[in-house]
Amino acid sequence: MSLDVTSSPFNQEQIEQLSRLLPTLTNNQKVWLSGYLSAVISKKIQHTSNQVPQMDSQLVSAGGPSQRTVTVLYGSETGTARSLAERMAEKIDEANFMVIFSALDDFKPSKLKKTEDLFIITATHGEGEPPDNAISFYEFLHSRKAPKLEHLRFSVLSLGDESYEFFCQTGKDFDKRLEELGGERIYDRVDCDLDFDEQAAAWMDGVLGILKKATDAADQNALLSQQKAGMNISENPVFSRTNPFMAEVIDNINLSGRGSKKQTHHLELSLDGSHFTFKPGDSLGIYPKNDPVLVEQLIKELEWDAEQDLSVNKQGEKRSLREVLLSHFEITVLTTSMLEKAARLFANEALTELLEATNKEKLNSYLKGRDVLDLVTDFPPKKLAPKDFVSILRKLPARLYSIASSYKANPDEVHLTVGTVNYVAHGRKRFGVCSSQVATRVEIGDKLPVYIHQNLNFQFPNDPQTPVIMIGPGTGVAPFRSYLEELEETEAKRKTWLFFGEQHFSCDFLYQVDWQKWLKAGVLSRMDVAFSRDNDQKVYVQHKMLEKSNDFYNWLKAGAAVYVCGDEKHMARDVHQTMMTILRQEGDMSEEEAKAYLQQMRLEKRYQRDVY
């Protein structure tokens, strides 16, 4: 039986996805899927991503006595918080509660008065700021318009990075404000570092346990229906963030020419056998290894036996100390939390003094640009056992890279654009963990543990009438290479405009041949480039935007969607301010009108950013 748009209820994109998926399924998987769909159809669930429907107290899950509606909202910059929120919504649905699921900005604040159980999963962006798709809700909740919420039960799961000063600040702010408005916290807020899986799972289970106990609505219908249908778990492994696929390196090319002050690598990996799919805008997570030289220096400094066995997880799996420090724990970043734990172990008076409240500025200064080797050198511990030492370290997190290739064009491969990070700080040369591994230690034939990270906050428009403006200096151009390669493969017709910037035309023009090919073929309609070091006066992408401000504004008026990828602190902020300037100059708008225009673009998904 063939699938096509005319003889099925699916659209063209769904047909393509199903056509890729179905041939890969085993008979057991097909039986499981058919039974699962039969069970799901019998349930009623409100589940939205772009628009939240009206709540209806008569809508309840099949078989469950609870009339309460559970609302799961997320604030996500890269898609991680959204993925966790989806998982939470699924768990709540399986427990036979009604579920409303939405981004924070898509949830109408007026509905808070009727909301009974609210669970927020949010990341923190920049200097303690809410993610883009949480800004308007955050501002409303902290305004005078926010209603009293004595009827509300809530809990917050907060995602962050302990290496930043304002760790999990957005989640902390939501948690505090909901309590101030009269809400009842039914489960304590959990603040997650980069290694969030176990904490997030425990938070979900804890919240669900309280929900079930409070409403006596627990049931096992989903599990029973699976057993009755004779569903079997597939013997084929499912690869994911917690079970990464070992991808073989098939090419590793230095894109930077002679004379470049940078080193940017084009990495190609084989995904054959992974069953991964992805879209332009998605990322690939790589679990890297620490620099072996740094590991040996650390072991030598502490005078330890590199072959001593240590446990690496709660299951008691053991590895040598050298392997533990190479592959399992973060040793290149210091956090306040780590230093506090170290102070209890090291018995070093100078370290204890550094952590005193009066030394906050000095502490923040110390944390910048230093690593674990600095810590044990500057504050030598007394009789420190390796097992106690690794207990204070964070797990080595994956590094996310925007995918630079199209799945439709290369279904068994994934391409990445990796800029090597190295710098000198505090008298030593420092190296990016994953980027230096790619640049100096990864050979063709090696294998890297990887997974696909869907970035649902950076998705290109389906409507072919929507013009697309892409702004991606340096390695930020990666997702746009993916998108244009896909347009070429599918022969889609669309107006596209790319702004690219780097230091030098002669040695830093990444993927120059690709852009020229796509310009000639009409896949890329326009391209403006800025090479900042080729002239006496530095020229960046925002200057090129201003040069073409009238055309840029006309594209916006025609409904163009704008995508920005790359450095957040400088480039992305400068680009944002330049768009504000263009709207004021060309659109004759006030500051407030220009700000509102860009905010509306964000709400319409016409202004999306993937910044770091």
Side-chain angles (χ1 to χ4, degrees):
M1 178 179 176
S2 62
L3 287 172
D4 58 60
V5 176
T6 58
S7 62
S8 74
F10 304 111
N11 61 37
Q12 185 59 44
E13 184 179 2
Q14 291 170 326
I15 292 291
E16 293 173 358
Q17 292 173 338
L18 287 170
S19 296
R20 291 196 300 268
L21 173 64
L22 293 177
T24 70
L25 300 181
T26 65
N27 288 333
N28 281 344
Q29 289 174 318
K30 291 174 182 176
V31 171
W32 190 98
L33 183 61
S34 64
Y36 173 78
L37 292 175
S38 297
V40 169
I41 290 170
S42 68
K43 291 190 172 190
K44 300 175 182 178
I45 179 172
Q46 293 178 342
H47 183 181
T48 70
S49 58
N50 296 322
Q51 183 177 0
V52 178
Q54 297 292 324
M55 294 186 197
D56 186 344
S57 61
Q58 300 304 312
L59 288 175
V60 296
S61 296
S66 172
Q67 294 291 319
R68 296 185 72 89
T69 299
V70 181
T71 301
V72 179
L73 304 180
Y74 65 88
S76 184
E77 198 68 36
T78 65
T80 299
R82 170 167 178 150
S83 297
L84 289 173
E86 285 178 335
R87 192 186 311 167
M88 181 65 169
E90 290 170 0
K91 286 177 175 286
I92 293 171
D93 173 49
E94 289 168 1
N96 288 314
F97 291 91
M98 276 305 309
V99 185
I100 290 177
F101 169 79
S102 171
L104 282 155
D105 273 3
D106 292 332
F107 184 78
K108 293 181 180 179
S110 60
K111 292 185 177 295
L112 274 175
K113 294 180 180 179
K114 297 181 180 179
T115 303
E116 299 169 309
D117 292 294
L118 174 63
F119 303 112
I120 293 178
I121 301 177
T122 184
T124 293
H125 186 52
E127 301 299 319
E129 302 159 2
D132 285 349
N133 66 354
I135 293 174
S136 63
F137 185 91
Y138 181 94
E139 291 176 346
F140 172 83
L141 202 66
H142 287 81
S143 72
R144 294 181 180 180
K145 296 180 181 180
K148 293 296 181 182
L149 301 174
E150 289 91 349
H151 60 284
L152 181 75
R153 307 191 307 179
F154 74 92
S155 185
V156 176
L157 178 68
S158 188
L159 307 181
D161 182 339
E162 274 196 359
S163 64
Y164 286 85
E165 180 179 357
F166 299 99
F167 173 59
C168 288
Q169 189 62 48
T170 300
K172 294 174 182 177
D173 291 346
F174 276 132
D175 185 63
K176 179 182 177 182
R177 184 57 174 160
L178 290 172
E179 183 180 48
E180 290 173 347
L181 294 171
E184 176 193 356
R185 184 186 297 103
I186 65 170
Y187 195 86
D188 287 343
R189 185 189 77 248
V190 172
D191 297 333
C192 299
D193 196 10
L194 298 176
D195 180 42
F196 56 80
D197 296 285
E198 290 184 4
Q199 285 181 292
W203 178 83
M204 291 182 192
D205 291 342
V207 168
L208 274 170
I210 291 176
L211 277 180
K212 292 176 181 179
K213 183 177 179 181
T215 61
D216 194 28
D219 70 74
Q220 299 296 323
N221 287 351
L223 178 60
L224 291 173
S225 63
Q226 288 182 11
Q227 291 173 343
K228 291 177 181 178
M231 300 176 188
N232 296 312
I233 298 174
S234 170
E235 294 179 359
N236 295 327
V238 177
F239 297 106
S240 64
R241 183 179 183 276
T242 54
N243 183 35
F245 175 73
M246 297 303 294
E248 183 177 348
V249 178
I250 53 180
D251 215 342
N252 188 1
I253 304 168
N254 185 0
L255 296 176
S256 302
R258 182 177 299 176
S260 176
K261 294 181 179 179
K262 298 186 174 184
Q263 189 176 2
T264 303
H265 280 247
H266 173 80
L267 187 68
E268 297 185 2
L269 303 170
S270 171
L271 296 182
D272 187 25
S274 69
H275 302 304
F276 284 154
T277 63
F278 54 86
K279 288 184 176 182
D282 288 343
S283 301
L284 188 82
I286 299 179
Y287 284 103
K289 288 190 175 184
N290 287 309
D291 183 356
V293 174
L294 179 61
V295 169
E296 294 302 326
Q297 289 174 330
L298 185 58
I299 294 174
K300 182 178 179 181
E301 180 69 25
L302 292 167
E303 299 180 348
W304 284 339
D305 177 7
E307 301 306 320
Q308 177 181 344
D309 283 343
L310 292 177
S311 295
V312 296
N313 52 35
K314 292 182 178 180
Q315 290 72 42
E317 191 176 348
K318 292 187 179 295
R319 294 287 186 273
S320 71
L321 173 61
R322 178 183 287 109
E323 181 60 28
V324 165
L325 294 177
L326 273 174
S327 305
H328 294 274
F329 292 102
E330 177 81 80
I331 61 173
T332 59
V333 177
L334 298 180
T335 69
T336 301
S337 174
M338 182 192 299
L339 264 63
E340 289 171 347
K341 295 172 185 175
R344 293 192 287 270
L345 285 176
F346 284 21
N348 186 294
E349 293 181 4
L351 179 56
T352 302
E353 181 181 343
L354 178 65
L355 288 162
E356 291 178 358
T358 55
N359 287 330
K360 184 175 181 181
E361 187 174 335
K362 186 178 179 180
L363 172 62
N364 288 338
S365 176
Y366 182 81
L367 292 174
K368 293 179 181 177
R370 288 186 170 88
D371 57 26
V372 175
L373 179 59
D374 293 306
L375 176 63
V376 300
T377 303
D378 297 338
F379 307 102
K382 298 177 181 178
K383 296 182 180 179
L384 180 62
K387 66 180 181 61
D388 294 329
F389 177 70
V390 299
S391 72
I392 72 172
L393 301 179
R394 301 194 300 175
K395 287 186 178 179
L396 185 59
R399 267 55 174 181
L400 289 177
Y401 293 96
S402 296
I403 293 174
S405 59
S406 162
Y407 173 82
K408 292 181 179 179
N410 305 283
D412 293 325
E413 297 178 12
V414 64
H415 302 172
L416 304 178
T417 312
V418 181
T420 306
V421 176
N422 57 69
Y423 57 95
V424 175
H426 311 293
R428 272 203 296 123
K429 196 164 186 178
R430 318 285 168 146
F431 302 93
V433 177
C434 192
S435 66
S436 65
Q437 180 182 353
V438 168
T440 63
R441 304 193 301 278
V442 169
E443 304 288 344
I444 294 174
D446 289 349
K447 292 187 176 182
L448 297 173
V450 305
Y451 65 94
I452 297 295
H453 177 86
Q454 289 186 322
N455 188 353
L456 297 176
N457 295 319
F458 201 75
Q459 296 290 307
F460 293 88
N462 293 321
D463 185 356
Q465 299 304 313
T466 303
V468 173
I469 298 174
M470 301 164 285
I471 304 167
T475 58
V477 82
F480 306 134
R481 181 178 185 269
S482 170
Y483 180 59
L484 292 171
E485 187 175 66
E486 184 137 313
L487 290 183
E488 178 186 43
E489 178 68 19
T490 59
E491 299 183 353
K493 305 299 180 184
R494 185 190 297 276
K495 288 182 65 177
T496 55
W497 188 356
L498 174 64
F499 288 87
F500 172 76
E502 254 296 357
Q503 291 189 352
H504 298 286
F505 171 86
S506 61
C507 53
D508 296 315
F509 198 168
L510 307 181
Y511 302 117
Q512 179 183 359
V513 174
D514 290 337
W515 313 132
Q516 291 173 333
K517 175 187 67 173
W518 288 326
L519 280 167
K520 184 176 181 180
V523 175
L524 180 59
S525 308
R526 299 181 60 165
M527 184 174 187
D528 281 274
V529 295
F531 294 101
S532 60
R533 304 297 194 274
D534 281 347
N535 299 293
D536 293 336
Q537 188 172 2
K538 293 180 180 179
V539 179
Y540 298 108
V541 288
Q542 62 267 25
H543 299 127
K544 291 297 180 180
M545 292 166 60
L546 280 176
E547 284 181 13
K548 307 293 173 62
S549 62
N550 183 258
D551 287 350
F552 196 99
Y553 179 67
N554 287 333
W555 276 55
L556 294 184
K557 285 201 303 181
V562 178
Y563 296 83
V564 182
C565 183
D567 169 63
E568 177 193 15
K569 289 186 177 179
H570 303 291
M571 182 278 297
R573 292 186 180 184
D574 290 341
V575 165
H576 183 85
Q577 288 304 316
T578 300
M579 290 175 65
M580 291 278 291
T581 300
I582 291 172
L583 290 171
R584 293 198 308 269
Q585 293 180 353
E586 303 295 340
D588 196 25
M589 298 182 189
S590 67
E591 183 83 11
E592 288 303 312
E593 287 171 334
K595 182 179 179 181
Y597 188 95
L598 290 182
Q599 179 61 16
Q600 185 60 34
M601 285 184 64
R602 278 177 168 163
L603 293 175
E604 295 172 356
K605 313 301 181 188
R606 287 180 52 219
Y607 179 22
Q608 299 184 40
R609 308 192 311 168
D610 183 7
V611 295
Y612 37 85

